[in-house]
Amino acid sequence: MAAIKEYPFDLSDLKNQPSGEGSLEVPQQSISSPTETTLPTQSLQSSSLATGVDGKRKVSIMADESSKDRENQPSERNGRISTQAEGPSRRKSNLHNALHAEMDSSWERQGHIEGRFKKYSTTSSVYSKKALSHQSEHIERSWWYACCAKCHQEDSGIPSWEPPHWQRVCPYPLCPSYRTFAQTISVLLIGIMVWVTIWIVMGETAAPGGQLFTLAVLTIAAYFGGWVMMKVTTLPALIGMLFVGLLLKNIGFVNFDKSYQHIASYIRKIALTIILTRAGMDLDPVAMKKYFFTVIKLALIPWTFEFLLCAVLAYFFLGLPWVWAFLLGSIVAAVSPAVIVPCLFRLRGKGYGVSKGIPTLVLAVSGVDDAASVAVFGIISSIMFSNSSMTMNIIQGPFSVFGGIAFGVLAGYMVKYIPERNDAFLVPIRVLLLLAGGLMSVLGSEEIGWGGAGPLAVIAFAFIACKNWVELGWELEDNPVATAFEIFWMFFEPMLFAVTGAQVVIADLEPHLVLVGSCILATCVVLRAMVTSVSAIRSNLNMKEKIFVGLSWMAKATVQAALAPVALDEIRKMAGVEGPDPVLVEYAETVITVCIMSIIITAPIGAIVITLAGPKLLSRTSKPPVLEGWRRSHRPSIRDISIIDEEETAERDAEADVQQSSEAAAPSPFVPPTITVQPIQRP
């Protein structure tokens, strides 16, 4: 509550004036005084008259409630803020508000150069329309101008400061803004200094040509390869990362020894933990409860069909034993949200499929699909590489499933009470608990021979934890723990796909394997799409929408990259002095080759099919819903599409528009005039 201050004023001029509740009127004929005070025009919450000890009257004025704690109020810039938000107040990070930060309209883009305001010039902001007005229209319409402008991103907040003559040396759009250029140079300098420090500490392995140096260069090159792929073709960045690893391996740049092959296996396990954690946190408990039977039906029936079909075809046409064929089928049957989400994000932004909640359905099914693949893969791999009896292996499967889910649920409820909800370090502690718990589950389950329990524990842990945090006040679209795992994935994504691509040597591939593997993948994808369309019977989808749902689950990427080399790693781990069995190595390399082919073939085709088929097969709403909060990112993630009933959202938006129009037609409320109080100087 605002503090109340009392000021001794003579109010003799107010005796005969009518008084209104909550306001004071002072005549203009008051005695002028050099100490005249003018109160700003604002509604006074209360005004009271009091009598002092000396007989003079006093006025108590309390400031408007809206003038306090303005930083705690929600704003359009920061998106929605929960009224039940727990813990200490925190600001949205720059990652959240990167693209929709708004500038103060009173600033008028004046160039703030070295602390002084100057007139607008062509060197103030390269992205301003004023700065580009001097360029001719035919240049802006040229192909090179459009190609270069496509690689640019607008500066958020204050425009980039530029040194004199920057535009002459680095004209737009051929060159980046000075801010982007300075950031790139800063990151490069930091990287060089860190590398030199590591070289001094670790020696030859960090030197040019060393194993650690090769891994670092491979990761950086994969990141830029993915960036180029996404900018030039709008295809998912992971395709470019995979091609970079494949290219560097076949030109002889990448050649890891046994020690770094062991490190690469742990990199894949960490990446798998991050993938599963994000998948668990992206499931909305309300939507899962509402569409439970529909999601389970559309997830498990097509997945089971593709799993069995791929295993049968691999057994008869690739010559794999049944256990290896089922292992391959459990990997290939998984779909990739990393490919599906950006495409659905673009379609949803244009209003396609929103009225019937198709993006919601596709994403929910994708998470359950991945959970089934990872769980079955863990059970099969445990049976393959276990020294226990067959009876124990059969009993171990169901126990792995129920044990993993039980452990994840227990851990998810634990983090509801630990740490305390108002702890100053609430977010980092929750991030570390989720990350450490997931890594312990994956690595620990493999160590004790219960490989299927760990991945299920990770998904259950993340899902229950996110559900409890939402109940405590966090919003599903504003979860800082999910943001942290998105940052982790930005680091491990290029590393995962580059290392996976480096597993294949093109010269060693057999034409028969490539041809037969491609035919198996094509058969599985086409027949699964048909089965998915049939499984959507007795739903509110028409025939075109059923076809789109079936086509949207053809893309494969993340699970295949994380699980494909696991069997080869296990064979090398179990090898004795004589080395691994060449027959088992051949089977494992066949699995890796088919999985990498599934990424190369289905990921780009799936992205193209979703982009082209969406406008033709889905109905479009006249006004697509606007994404609220900080999820309007230049790099869409699975959380860009909230798991909600989008039909209800569209109805609420229409009702809000009607209410706003009625309020605009209503007369404006009375605004009290400015109050001028003139105190009398006392002798």
Side-chain angles (χ1 to χ4, degrees), residues 509-526:
L509 293 179
E510 298 179 2
H512 175 266
L513 175 60
V514 175
L515 180 61
V516 174
S518 301
C519 294
I520 291 175
L521 293 172
T523 304
C524 292
V525 166
V526 173

Side-chain angles (χ1 to χ4, degrees), residues 454-615:
L456 285 177
V458 174
I459 295 178
F461 186 11
F463 173 70
I464 298 298
C466 185
K467 169 182 172 295
N468 291 328
W469 295 338
V470 170
E471 293 176 354
L472 291 176
W474 278 4
E475 294 185 5
L476 187 66
E477 295 84 5
D478 183 17
N479 191 334
V481 177
T483 306
F485 278 88
E486 289 178 9
I487 298 173
F488 295 157
W489 179 241
M490 290 172 59
F491 285 98
F492 279 91
E493 183 184 18
M495 199 178 302
L496 171 65
F497 285 98
V499 171
T500 303
Q503 297 281 336
V504 178
V505 179
I506 298 178
D508 297 340
L509 293 179
E510 298 179 2
H512 175 266
L513 175 60
V514 175
L515 180 61
V516 174
S518 301
C519 294
I520 291 175
L521 293 172
T523 304
C524 292
V525 166
V526 173
L527 293 181
R528 172 171 178 156
M530 297 174 61
V531 172
T532 303
S533 301
V534 174
S535 301
I537 294 176
R538 300 183 65 181
S539 64
N540 62 340
L541 305 179
N542 57 36
M543 183 55 64
K544 290 184 177 180
E545 292 166 344
K546 292 176 183 177
I547 295 174
F548 175 81
V549 168
L551 295 176
S552 63
W553 290 321
M554 69 164 53
K556 307 175 187 303
T558 49
V559 175
Q560 287 74 19
L563 298 182
V566 171
L568 184 59
D569 295 336
E570 292 293 331
I571 292 173
R572 289 170 177 169
K573 186 188 300 184
M574 296 175 61
V577 180
E578 299 178 357
D581 188 353
V583 177
L584 297 179
V585 171
E586 183 181 358
Y587 292 156
E589 290 178 349
T590 300
V591 172
I592 294 174
T593 303
V594 175
C595 290
I596 292 178
M597 289 172 55
S598 69
I599 300 174
I600 296 175
I601 295 173
T602 62
I605 295 178
I608 294 173
V609 167
I610 293 174
T611 303
L612 297 181

Side-chain angles (χ1 to χ4, degrees), residues 208-220:
Q211 297 289 297
L212 182 60
F213 179 83
T214 302
L215 180 61
V217 173
L218 178 64
T219 303
I220 296 173

Side-chain angles (χ1 to χ4, degrees), residues 58 105 114 356 421 429 543 597 636 669 678:
K58 297 181 180 179
S105 59
E114 298 180 357
K356 293 187 177 180
R421 65 183 63 180
I429 293 177
M543 183 55 64
M597 289 172 55
Q678 299 174 347

